Amino acid sequence: MSLKRVCIYGTGAIGGWLGVALAKAGCELSAVARGQTLAALQHNGLTLVHGEERETVAVNAQQDPAALGVQDVVVIAVKAPSMPDVARAVTPLIGPQTLVLTAMNGVPWWFLAGGVDAGLRGLQLRAVDPQGEIARAIPTGQVLGSVVHASCSLDAPGVVRRHFGNSLIVGEPTALPGDAPTPRLLALAELLRAGGIEVRLSDNIQRDAWYKLWGNMTMNPVSAITGATTDRILGDELVRNFITAVMLEAREIGARIGLPIADSPQDRHQVTLKLGGFKTSMLQDVEAGKPVELDALVGAVREMGAMCGMTTPFTDALLGLTRLRAQQLGLYPV
């Protein structure tokens, strides 16, 4: 299959990292952007910096997706609060054969399409797609999911710095146990590898996304409430115990929906501590005055708990406190 024409929707740190790789693999790269990012991409191209290496690739950047036309691959690398706007604008890029690769934090709208317990499969997650407009605009059958394991940031609009990690887990959201990798999944993985990214194929992309979420869903909101870095958060015994309680609720939800986690919260705390003290992405958003992706990280977990008949008092407290803090800052709708 032809995967020549590729568009990045959301040319931030992760979108830029993927865009450079796909351009290096020989794709005709385009991007939907606006403001300073649009101007930078049009004048300077897209740049990736890692250590002493600096690579710049050409990109056809436009504000209006209709100016770019139907693509072979659309990479959506935006934060969850931006998805309703993306859904309303992305249609001109998507034809009947277009692949849509999502590279996002938390629980995406397609999470219950497969890979979970049959009783939940196909249900709508109102926390992340309350009106179903995302699912209507982006057919789930054309989506490939991913889990990012790379730390990237923006030095400037259109200039991405990769700090550590260079891997991506990719999988079919509708895959069922025992399904072989699809030709389109293999083709996309080969393309990404040609661009220098380490790719692992997943037979259950929901499981991989859930495991990453299991750590992110606590550290991010607590940092948004407290303004503290991860080492300070885990260094406080009372806060650490609260986080552990939330993680135990989430682990039980995972077990009930068919996504069990063998690790203990303490195992995950040790992994986080080894990374040193850092500001989470949600804390960075708060400091920058950007909307927080609370629904994809916590709200959807609470919703799936309710689907399973679970009460989640610690998750509820985390969601309520963070939501109120974000509302006070104007970063979450009232």
Side-chain angles (χ1 to χ4, degrees):
M1 64 187 303
S2 171
L3 299 180
K4 190 71 173 176
R5 289 169 53 82
V6 175
C7 180
I8 308 296
Y9 207 122
T11 320
I14 297 302
W17 168 63
L18 291 169
V20 170
L22 290 164
K24 287 170 58 181
C27 296
E28 298 173 5
L29 185 67
S30 60
V32 176
R34 60 187 179 183
Q36 293 182 329
T37 300
L38 176 63
L41 294 175
Q42 289 178 334
H43 288 93
N44 307 316
L46 176 61
T47 299
L48 178 66
V49 180
H50 178 59
E52 299 301 317
E53 299 179 9
R54 188 180 184 92
E55 301 171 287
T56 298
V57 300
V59 55
N60 177 16
Q62 301 290 335
Q63 181 167 323
D64 183 2
L68 299 172
V70 172
Q71 304 289 307
D72 298 321
V73 179
V74 175
V75 178
I76 297 180
V78 301
K79 294 196 173 182
S82 298
M83 276 307 303
D85 289 338
V86 173
R88 288 188 282 268
V90 75
T91 303
L93 302 174
I94 301 176
Q97 304 303 318
T98 302
L99 296 184
V100 179
L101 176 68
T102 61
M104 303 170 62
N105 283 330
V107 175
W109 77 94
W110 49 257
F111 194 77
L112 298 181
V116 296
D117 183 79
L120 274 66
R121 210 171 293 151
L123 296 181
Q124 177 184 344
L125 279 170
R126 297 187 177 279
V128 291
D129 192 11
Q131 307 302 324
E133 60 181 327
I134 303 173
R136 287 192 295 271
I138 307 171
T140 302
Q142 293 177 231
V143 173
L144 295 178
S146 76
V147 179
V148 175
H149 288 285
S151 174
C152 302
S153 62
L154 287 175
D155 282 0
V159 181
V160 178
R161 181 174 297 275
R162 181 171 70 84
H163 302 283
F164 57 86
N166 189 41
S167 65
L168 195 71
I169 305 173
V170 293
E172 293 273 2
T174 57
L176 299 177
D179 286 355
T182 59
R184 67 183 194 176
L185 182 63
L186 292 169
L188 183 64
E190 182 180 348
L191 189 66
L192 289 162
R193 287 174 182 141
I197 292 178
E198 302 160 19
V199 179
R200 176 169 74 80
L201 300 183
S202 173
D203 60 356
N204 187 334
I205 193 64
Q206 284 86 349
R207 178 192 60 220
D208 294 298
W210 183 258
Y211 184 73
K212 182 177 180 182
L213 171 69
W214 192 51
N216 289 347
M217 69 168 290
T218 52
M219 300 302 294
N220 272 280
V222 171
S223 71
I225 297 169
T226 63
T229 53
T230 54
D231 55 334
R232 294 290 303 277
I233 291 169
L234 289 176
D236 186 298
E237 181 182 7
L238 298 180
V239 177
R240 186 174 66 251
N241 289 344
F242 173 69
I243 287 173
T244 295
V246 177
M247 293 177 74
L248 288 173
E249 288 181 349
R251 190 173 69 172
E252 176 60 23
I253 294 169
R256 294 191 186 193
I257 67 175
L259 302 173
I261 292 174
D263 293 359
S264 70
Q266 290 74 19
D267 294 331
R268 192 57 177 264
H269 296 336
Q270 291 305 311
V271 172
T272 303
L273 286 169
K274 287 179 181 178
L275 299 176
F278 62 89
K279 292 183 178 181
T280 69
S281 60
M282 192 178 289
L283 177 55
Q284 292 178 51
D285 286 343
V286 167
E287 292 180 342
K290 296 179 179 179
V292 295
E293 47 186 354
L294 185 59
D295 294 323
L297 290 176
V298 187
V301 175
R302 180 177 184 269
E303 183 177 352
M304 284 185 278
M307 288 177 175
C308 299
M310 270 187 65
T311 56
T312 52
F314 292 102
T315 305
D316 293 357
L318 179 63
L319 177 59
L321 289 168
T322 314
R323 182 174 62 192
L324 186 58
R325 171 62 175 160
Q327 287 173 339
Q328 289 294 102
L329 297 172
L331 306 180
Y332 185 90
V334 177

